[in-house]
Amino acid sequence: MKKLTLLAMSLVMALTVKAQETGTDITSQFTNTDFEGGNGTSGWTSTGRAPSTIGTAVENNYQGTTFMETWVASSGNLGNFDWSQTQEVPNGYYVVKALAHAIKQNQTVTPESKGVYLYAEDVQVEIKATVATEHTVFAKVTDGKLTIGYRAVRCNVNWTAVDYFRIIQCHGDTEEAAKTSWLKCEMSQIQEDLEANVLDYPMDAALRDALYEAFEGIESVSTYAEAEALWNSIKEMAEEAKECVAAYEKLLAKIDEVYEYAEDHEGKGDVGVLFDAADAAQEG
């Protein structure tokens, strides 16, 4: 029993150290960050133009089925607004991420979007993307409260939306240490996603080996420069791996089409060669 207790304590300590090194997702401490469950915009305070929620998120490349948005006819621009919420958190460094887009619709040439921002505390990033894209801000809390939000100031767009807020508490006494822990958290999340959804698919062996080698290097990263370099490398390889999966699934779909065609035309000529070709492709 004593050995089991010591083992359990060791596991807890190891997990605690890992969390301190990679950052902690504290999104659950905030309210209605993904706008699912029919909660509308509850939990968010708004000034200026009020937000609404719409249930076509999947069609617009957003997470889940609902996002928070505002829209006017394309002949006009959105008025100023500020949608936010504040929660008590420990002092330190935080990363806030969200999917967002801002666009002036129905233009001969779509202008560069201006005046819409994702923010945390006094740090903001302007939303230039015209389709749902992840945006990130890095902020420091000194008064035990973190304010996150989305706002427009004299913008030139008629439609914007935001969804899937994620808040990461970064561990470290300095900004560099905190940013390093954040990137290690990001890389660990990419690893988890790829191992669950991608790496079991057929792909170039060298690419798979390079990804596993990169994953092994996450824990040994000690500086922000090292973390950023490894993060960029992992992201690039992850995109390549996902492209391999997409190509493989496309190939399987084509093989299914060949099988279906051959079955439909069986007895109407020599379709055996089609079955043989489909079998060979599937085995390959």
Side-chain angles (χ1 to χ4, degrees):
M1 180 64 72
K2 186 175 181 180
K3 288 183 177 179
L4 289 175
T5 302
L6 290 173
L7 178 60
M9 291 176 62
S10 297
L11 288 172
V12 170
M13 290 176 65
L15 291 172
T16 301
V17 169
K18 182 176 179 63
Q20 290 175 343
E21 290 177 344
T22 60
T24 303
D25 190 324
I26 63 163
T27 305
S28 61
Q29 296 182 30
F30 287 74
T31 302
N32 195 20
T33 54
D34 59 8
F35 312 105
E36 300 296 318
N39 295 316
T41 61
S42 64
W44 293 86
T45 299
S46 67
T47 59
R49 186 173 181 83
S52 60
T53 53
I54 187 169
T56 56
V58 173
E59 297 173 14
N60 293 284
N61 201 34
Y62 278 91
Q63 182 77 21
T65 58
T66 309
F67 55 71
M68 184 164 66
E69 59 103 42
T70 187
W71 175 90
V72 295
S74 59
S75 58
N77 293 332
L78 297 171
N80 293 352
F81 64 81
D82 192 324
W83 311 331
S84 68
Q85 64 171 286
T86 301
Q87 301 292 345
E88 293 184 356
V89 298
N91 288 342
Y93 297 95
Y94 292 84
V95 165
V96 177
K97 302 187 292 182
L99 296 173
H101 87 278
I103 187 172
K104 182 71 169 177
Q105 296 174 299
N106 301 325
Q107 306 299 302
T108 304
V109 177
T110 302
E112 181 181 50
S113 300
K114 297 180 181 180
V116 180
Y117 307 90
L118 171 71
Y119 71 90
E121 293 297 294
D122 59 352
V123 182
Q124 64 184 22
V125 60
E126 192 166 30
I127 310 302
K128 298 290 189 181
T130 56
V131 296
T133 304
E134 185 173 87
H135 295 75
T136 302
V137 289
F138 182 86
K140 184 177 182 180
V141 171
T142 59
D143 62 354
K145 295 178 181 180
L146 174 61
T147 297
I148 65 173
Y150 197 68
R151 63 185 168 212
V153 181
R154 296 185 297 278
C155 73
N156 68 339
V157 304
N158 72 292
W159 182 35
T160 188
V162 64
D163 189 19
Y164 202 59
F165 280 85
R166 287 296 175 268
I167 302 91
I168 308 297
Q169 180 184 9
C170 302
H171 299 290
D173 296 330
T174 65
E175 181 173 336
E176 167 148 339
K179 285 185 174 180
T180 301
S181 78
W182 159 52
L183 287 186
K184 290 173 78 171
C185 182
E186 292 286 300
M187 289 186 282
S188 295
Q189 289 177 350
I190 293 174
Q191 178 182 358
E192 182 179 337
D193 173 58
L194 292 182
E195 289 180 339
N197 303 305
V198 174
L199 292 179
D200 285 340
Y201 279 81
M203 68 177 62
D204 181 70
L207 174 61
R208 182 185 284 104
D209 291 344
L211 276 165
Y212 278 119
E213 183 178 352
F215 295 154
E216 290 176 359
I218 294 174
E219 293 304 314
S220 62
V221 164
S222 59
T223 68
Y224 178 69
E226 291 175 355
E228 187 175 37
L230 185 59
W231 182 49
N232 286 329
S233 177
I234 287 176
K235 284 196 301 180
E236 183 177 341
M237 289 189 290
E239 287 303 311
E240 187 176 348
K242 290 178 180 179
E243 289 173 3
C244 288
V245 171
Y248 177 72
E249 291 182 334
K250 186 175 181 179
L251 174 61
L252 290 183
K254 289 297 182 182
I255 291 172
D256 287 341
E257 290 179 11
V258 172
Y259 275 126
E260 184 178 348
Y261 179 86
E263 289 170 355
D264 289 344
H265 292 77
E266 194 167 8
K268 300 178 182 178
D270 187 9
V271 296
V273 65
L274 290 178
F275 282 114
D276 292 342
D279 289 341
Q282 194 168 49
E283 291 172 3

